[in-house]
Amino acid sequence: MNELLKIVDQSYADQFLFAIFLNICFIVISISFYLLWHKLTSKTVKVNNYQKIVTSDLILTCSTLLCNALIFVLVALLYNEKILFINFKATSVINIFIEVVLLILLIDFLMYFFHRIAHNKLLFKLIHKSHHKHIGVNELSLFVLSPLESFGFGLLLMIPLVFYPFNYLSIVIYLLINLIWGTIGHFSKDYKYPPKFVIKYIGTARFHNQHHIDCNVNFGFYTTIWDKVFNTKDKKK
């Protein structure tokens, strides 16, 4: 905890370098998880085509890396200015669990509407077109985002922190879950026989890949709840 507080108090340049290192670690974890999963073919089934990595994928991944690092610095700045709040005190496991679930549900709600807005005809080319160049998926699909989309998703996380001081451990756990969930969403192979509950309520690889194939359905990220509520869930799945 003390080390985290020291990072917040460092210069913006040091915060930026730390965030670069952290995000490189996240990308390595995501790619490693992707490659490991796709070697486990006995219990998986193809849900989308593999799309070869091209130069633009590498450029946009580096862009996302830089944007995420800038968002980290912005969070530190807003925290120091007392515009958003993070609780660095010790707390119970139960409290952390509740906060992580709240973050997932709140940001799932915000992501759904941001995603719908990004598909507006006037905004699609500006915000979201880069990501949808991946009709198929690959190891970098999660990170192939325009700078505006990267900042948009980063700002969504800041919104709950303006209104409530979530514990730093809850935020760290949420970010790890977000990374793993995002990686799974861009698998080209999904679990062959997922539990019915998972298919019905959870944003799986087959759920998100259907959005890459047909961009008029499945706008949700963590859950299928909002697609059900607003009638945008793919009826064939």
Side-chain angles (χ1 to χ4, degrees), residues 91-104:
T91 188
S92 68
V93 173
I94 293 174
N95 189 61
I96 289 172
F97 175 79
I98 292 171
E99 288 190 353
V100 170
V101 171
L102 279 174
L103 281 171
I104 289 172

Side-chain angles (χ1 to χ4, degrees), residues 192-210:
K192 191 178 291 185
Y193 305 112
K196 289 183 179 180
F197 176 86
V198 171
I199 294 176
K200 194 171 182 180
Y201 295 108
I202 305 299
T204 60
R206 70 187 70 207
F207 175 79
H208 187 70
N209 270 274
Q210 190 58 33

Side-chain angles (χ1 to χ4, degrees), residues 77-110:
L77 171 63
L78 294 176
Y79 171 80
N80 286 328
E81 294 296 324
K82 294 181 170 52
I83 295 172
L84 57 76
F85 308 95
I86 301 171
N87 178 10
F88 285 98
K89 296 179 181 178
T91 188
S92 68
V93 173
I94 293 174
N95 189 61
I96 289 172
F97 175 79
I98 292 171
E99 288 190 353
V100 170
V101 171
L102 279 174
L103 281 171
I104 289 172
L105 293 176
L106 284 169
I107 297 176
D108 189 48
F109 176 78
L110 295 172

Side-chain angles (χ1 to χ4, degrees), residues 124-189:
F124 183 76
K125 289 183 179 180
L126 191 64
I127 298 176
H128 200 44
K129 184 179 179 181
S130 298
H131 190 64
H132 271 284
K133 287 181 179 178
H134 281 213
I135 298 173
V137 289
N138 60 41
E139 298 94 316
L140 298 179
S141 292
L142 173 61
F143 307 100
V144 177
L145 306 170
S146 72
L148 283 176
E149 188 164 16
S150 296
F151 276 111
F153 282 129
L155 291 172
L156 292 184
L157 175 59
M158 296 184 205
I159 292 173
L161 301 181
V162 172
F163 299 99
Y164 179 81
F166 285 87
N167 190 272
Y168 76 99
L169 282 175
S170 303
I171 297 170
V172 169
I173 292 169
Y174 162 76
L175 290 174
L176 289 172
I177 291 172
N178 178 67
L179 177 70
I180 298 302
W181 216 311
T183 305
I184 291 171
H186 295 88
F187 284 166
S188 62
K189 294 179 180 179

